[in-house]
Amino acid sequence: MFRAFRPRRVTTMTPARRQYWLVKSEPTTFSFDDLLASPDRTTTWEGVRNFQARNFMRDGMKAGDRVLFYHSSCEPPAVVGIAEVGREAYPDPTQFDPSSDYHDPKSRPRDPTWVMVDLRAVAALPRPVDITELRANPGLEGLELLRRGSRLSVHPVSREHFDAIVRMAK
DNA sequence: GCCAACGTTGGC
DNA sequence: GCCAACGTTGGC
């Protein structure tokens, strides 16, 4: 059965206004392949429980923003794909679910502490760019991911750094 | 408000 | 498995 063609782009935002981000995920928990295999190649980005990361999602992430998808706690850690922000920040229901690993008993439904966004796969990189390569590129100086001791699982990336990483994958 | 203890992240 | 670097918690 045929379906009418629907444009895949979620926004008409021009590239000039777009912001860029990086999110980390442990591939054993949720990989970029998992994202590609998800319905409409989209997932909810639930489970962020760090205030700085939450603030970036809540205040910064806009539909159509581009997101580098990074695999952490694996060998080798690497940027593996590009996603985009679909739905902007809304309450993360897992904070109210006592059976969830992400349950937060202190959060009140009338004033939720934690939010999530929807992320949609744009494309896998032609090849992963691992962290040793990233560290070896002087053009990436200042990238939050590479800062000593950095653990932020959601953070902004400059357009220059984003483009440089995409170029490295070619 | 301070800060020590603790738990977690995540590269190595 | 190690441990540095964080963020959070809770006693005071």
XYZ file of all heavy atoms in Angstrom, chain A residues 130-138 140 145-148 168, chain B residues 11-12:
166
model
N 36.240 8.603 16.463
C 36.430 8.257 17.870
C 37.147 9.363 18.643
O 37.688 10.308 18.073
C 37.123 6.901 18.030
C 38.583 6.944 17.625
O 39.305 7.835 18.104
O 38.997 6.075 16.833
N 37.160 9.199 19.941
C 37.594 10.291 20.809
C 39.083 10.606 20.663
O 39.497 11.756 20.838
C 37.226 10.006 22.277
C 37.382 11.285 23.108
C 38.025 8.836 22.836
C 36.681 11.262 24.411
N 39.891 9.623 20.306
C 41.313 9.922 20.115
C 41.508 10.806 18.888
O 42.337 11.721 18.904
C 42.144 8.634 19.968
O 41.554 7.811 18.973
C 42.214 7.875 21.276
N 40.732 10.546 17.845
C 40.782 11.419 16.674
C 40.310 12.817 17.016
O 40.892 13.816 16.568
C 39.856 10.875 15.579
C 40.435 9.782 14.726
C 39.438 9.425 13.644
O 39.409 10.135 12.613
O 38.683 8.464 13.838
N 39.235 12.876 17.783
C 38.704 14.184 18.166
C 39.756 14.957 18.953
O 40.017 16.125 18.685
C 37.439 14.011 19.014
C 36.229 13.387 18.305
C 35.138 13.064 19.315
C 35.688 14.316 17.217
N 40.397 14.294 19.906
C 41.412 14.953 20.721
C 42.614 15.405 19.889
O 43.294 16.371 20.252
C 41.888 14.026 21.839
C 40.883 13.824 22.950
C 41.521 13.222 24.197
N 40.524 12.761 25.164
C 39.839 13.576 25.977
N 40.054 14.875 25.943
N 38.942 13.081 26.814
N 42.861 14.695 18.808
C 44.026 15.017 17.982
C 43.768 16.187 17.036
O 44.691 16.664 16.384
C 44.440 13.774 17.174
N 42.540 16.634 16.958
C 42.207 17.729 16.036
C 42.248 19.061 16.774
O 41.371 19.366 17.571
C 40.818 17.494 15.447
C 40.443 18.551 14.421
O 41.107 19.588 14.306
N 39.395 18.285 13.676
N 43.276 19.879 16.489
C 43.417 21.158 17.199
C 42.241 22.083 16.956
O 41.961 22.967 17.777
C 44.700 21.758 16.612
C 45.306 20.728 15.723
C 44.284 19.683 15.438
N 39.304 21.441 17.303
C 38.207 21.154 18.236
C 38.500 21.628 19.653
O 37.806 21.262 20.598
C 37.905 19.643 18.242
C 37.402 19.092 16.916
C 37.131 17.599 17.028
C 36.141 19.824 16.452
N 32.959 18.189 25.160
C 33.183 16.734 25.258
C 34.619 16.398 25.629
O 34.871 15.420 26.334
C 32.850 16.077 23.911
C 33.065 14.561 23.826
C 31.971 13.833 24.587
C 33.129 14.094 22.378
N 35.556 17.226 25.144
C 36.978 16.922 25.305
C 37.577 17.553 26.553
O 38.751 17.334 26.854
C 37.753 17.378 24.062
C 37.262 16.778 22.732
C 38.119 17.273 21.583
C 37.246 15.254 22.791
N 36.795 18.344 27.248
C 37.300 18.969 28.472
C 37.587 17.896 29.511
O 36.816 16.952 29.671
C 36.257 19.945 29.025
C 36.817 21.255 29.520
C 35.781 22.036 30.311
N 35.578 21.451 31.613
C 34.451 20.928 32.065
N 33.385 20.938 31.305
N 34.389 20.401 33.261
N 38.717 18.057 30.186
C 39.102 17.097 31.209
C 38.014 16.973 32.266
O 37.587 17.960 32.855
C 40.415 17.553 31.853
C 40.960 16.603 32.872
C 42.329 17.104 33.327
N 42.867 16.275 34.392
C 43.417 15.082 34.174
N 43.510 14.622 32.957
N 43.865 14.374 35.183
N 35.388 15.286 9.421
C 36.336 14.226 9.789
C 35.809 12.844 9.425
O 36.591 11.903 9.243
C 36.621 14.268 11.302
C 37.440 15.465 11.733
S 37.512 15.619 13.540
C 38.742 14.373 13.938
P 33.894 8.263 27.467
O 33.148 9.175 26.601
O 33.673 6.817 27.351
O 35.435 8.565 27.310
C 35.966 9.773 27.828
C 37.323 9.516 28.459
O 37.178 8.765 29.682
C 38.287 8.725 27.592
O 39.574 9.291 27.737
C 38.201 7.315 28.157
C 37.981 7.594 29.641
N 37.263 6.542 30.346
C 36.047 5.997 29.993
N 35.640 5.081 30.828
C 36.642 5.015 31.790
C 36.748 4.186 32.943
O 35.950 3.338 33.352
N 37.932 4.441 33.648
C 38.877 5.369 33.274
N 39.944 5.472 34.076
N 38.791 6.140 32.199
C 37.652 5.910 31.502
P 40.711 8.991 26.688
O 41.537 10.203 26.678
O 40.137 8.461 25.431
O 41.528 7.815 27.380
C 42.232 8.107 28.586
C 42.627 6.809 29.231
O 41.483 6.182 29.809
C 43.169 5.769 28.257
O 44.583 5.895 28.171
C 42.760 4.445 28.886
C 41.812 4.825 30.005
N 40.558 4.035 30.024
C 40.351 3.141 31.080
O 41.218 3.045 31.954
N 39.211 2.414 31.108
C 38.302 2.560 30.143
N 37.192 1.826 30.219
C 38.501 3.460 29.058
C 39.638 4.175 29.043
